[in-house]
Amino acid sequence: MSDSNKTDVTNPSTFILLGIPGLEMAHFWISIPFCTMYAVAILGNFTILFIVKREPSLHGPMYYFLCMLAISDLVLSTSILPKMLSIFCFNSREINFNACLTQRYFIHCFLVMDSGIFVAMALDRYVAICHPLRHSTTLTNPVVAKIGLAVVLRGGMLAVPYPFLARRWPYCRTNIISHSYCEHMAVVKLACADVRISSYYGLSVAFMVMGLDVLFIAMSYIQILRAIFRLPTRDARLKTFGTCGSHLCVILASYIPALFSFLTHRFGHYVPLHFHILIASAYVLMPPMLNPIIYGVRTKQIRNRLLRLLTHKGT
């Protein structure tokens, strides 16, 4: 095995994913919650898409952005979970070099898209609460389509350099990736070349996307809170703020694991490797599972439509 790990070619034909080093004996048991998360993500996001499509009253900007988020989460989880489960359940650890780079591209692309969708949702809430009379004329269907296209293009273009740079590196150390998927830093560590450009680009994208998006969302909610506190009654304030509750919960469920994973990578040098991998997996896999649950539970229109659908099927 040790001889096969060394390679003198620029691009190895395959990489070997180890899964979660140190927890190999528990791989099968780890696969159970991961498989459950994937099943919930698939069922929940398809349910959101189905309900919004079937219910004409939900054909509005907020729900269009929610459908974009559901599609993005479906692609993101599907690009990772099937291969991860094959490692845990069947010990199928090989992944083609091009497939690995494609997986990396999808991860970066759709994580950036998710962040952009959160910004679009914050814009929708800002206009709806701060300028309610102009909401229908400001966020028209063509405007929503342009915002969606901009979100998709931004995610796709910012993710292009990652596989492009990785393809140019020589991999003369090993083809073993100590991770359960082709995570960026795990692949970077295999290259025997100067990877500072990739590191600087990754940091700049992280700060540009996370920093600017969080700043825009924070500014939107500062204006929203100012508008809410100007309402005359406590019930009106609570009802109006309740329309933002789902969006805030989804943002926290996505950004907090991302921030924690980033900090453990940069500063957690004494954190066990298996903890790094579990956090990185949760960062990518938990939001696609939680987002439809949060919106299904907290959004009255979706909850009522789902209850009517289940009641109709039951009768």
Side-chain angles (χ1 to χ4, degrees):
M1 176 64 74
S2 61
D3 293 337
S4 64
N5 293 345
K6 301 294 181 180
T7 178
D8 294 321
V9 297
T10 301
N11 295 339
S13 59
T14 60
F15 284 121
I16 306 297
L17 293 166
L18 293 184
I20 306 179
L23 297 179
E24 288 87 355
M25 299 301 294
H27 272 179
F28 176 78
W29 301 108
I30 295 173
S31 71
I32 296 175
F34 276 37
C35 185
T36 303
M37 291 168 64
Y38 185 49
V40 172
I42 294 294
L43 179 62
N45 285 294
F46 270 118
T47 300
I48 292 289
L49 293 172
F50 177 77
I51 289 176
V52 173
K53 184 178 185 299
R54 290 287 300 271
E55 185 60 48
S57 64
L58 300 181
H59 293 177
M62 185 176 99
Y63 299 102
Y64 291 149
F65 293 139
L66 179 57
C67 287
M68 285 186 61
L69 182 64
I71 294 171
S72 177
D73 286 344
L74 284 169
V75 177
L76 179 62
S77 57
T78 302
S79 67
I80 299 173
L81 255 297
K83 181 59 184 177
M84 189 182 296
L85 293 176
S86 71
I87 297 170
F88 293 156
C89 297
F90 306 109
N91 202 32
S92 176
R93 300 184 176 188
E94 286 193 2
I95 183 170
N96 182 271
F97 178 78
N98 290 324
C100 184
L101 298 189
T102 302
Q103 188 184 67
R104 287 184 63 198
Y105 175 81
F106 275 100
I107 292 170
H108 288 104
C109 174
F110 286 93
L111 285 175
V112 173
M113 280 179 57
D114 277 2
S115 185
I117 295 169
F118 295 149
V119 173
M121 288 178 164
L123 174 64
D124 172 74
R125 291 299 84 204
Y126 165 76
V127 177
I129 293 173
C130 297
H131 306 283
L133 298 180
R134 291 191 290 175
H135 183 260
S136 59
T137 56
T138 301
L139 291 177
T140 60
N141 286 343
V143 172
V144 171
K146 290 177 182 178
I147 293 174
L149 180 61
V151 169
V152 172
L153 290 177
R154 186 184 74 152
M157 292 174 64
L158 288 177
V160 167
Y162 289 106
F164 176 77
L165 291 172
R167 183 178 290 278
R168 294 170 59 88
W169 296 332
Y171 297 89
C172 55
R173 293 193 179 102
T174 179
N175 66 336
I176 292 180
I177 299 176
S178 298
H179 213 288
S180 55
Y181 62 90
C182 291
E183 194 262 345
H184 175 64
M185 293 303 299
V187 176
V188 167
K189 292 176 181 177
L190 301 184
C192 51
D194 187 352
V195 296
R196 284 180 297 179
I197 293 178
S198 179
S199 298
Y200 293 152
Y201 180 76
L203 284 173
S204 63
V205 168
F207 282 114
M208 182 175 67
V209 172
M210 294 278 292
L212 293 180
D213 287 0
V214 170
L215 177 63
F216 185 89
I217 292 170
M219 291 174 59
S220 298
Y221 271 94
I222 288 172
Q223 297 300 318
I224 288 171
L225 288 174
R226 290 178 60 186
I228 289 175
F229 287 133
R230 286 198 295 264
L231 294 175
T233 65
R234 181 173 180 271
D235 288 341
R237 290 194 292 268
L238 290 175
K239 183 178 180 180
T240 304
F241 187 75
T243 63
C244 304
S246 301
H247 185 222
L248 286 174
C249 290
V250 166
I251 289 174
L252 293 175
S254 298
Y255 283 144
I256 290 178
L259 179 62
F260 195 64
S261 177
F262 176 80
L263 292 176
T264 54
H265 262 303
R266 296 295 171 183
F267 307 108
H269 302 296
Y270 300 102
V271 176
L273 179 60
H274 64 267
F275 186 76
H276 272 295
I277 296 173
L278 289 173
I279 291 297
S281 300
Y283 156 44
V284 177
L285 302 178
M286 284 187 66
M289 176 193 69
L290 292 176
N291 292 346
I293 295 175
I294 292 171
Y295 272 100
V297 171
R298 293 190 58 88
T299 306
K300 182 179 179 181
Q301 294 91 330
I302 293 178
R303 185 173 66 249
N304 290 344
R305 176 59 180 168
L306 179 60
L307 290 175
R308 290 205 307 270
L309 183 65
L310 296 175
T311 303
H312 176 72
K313 286 188 175 182
T315 55

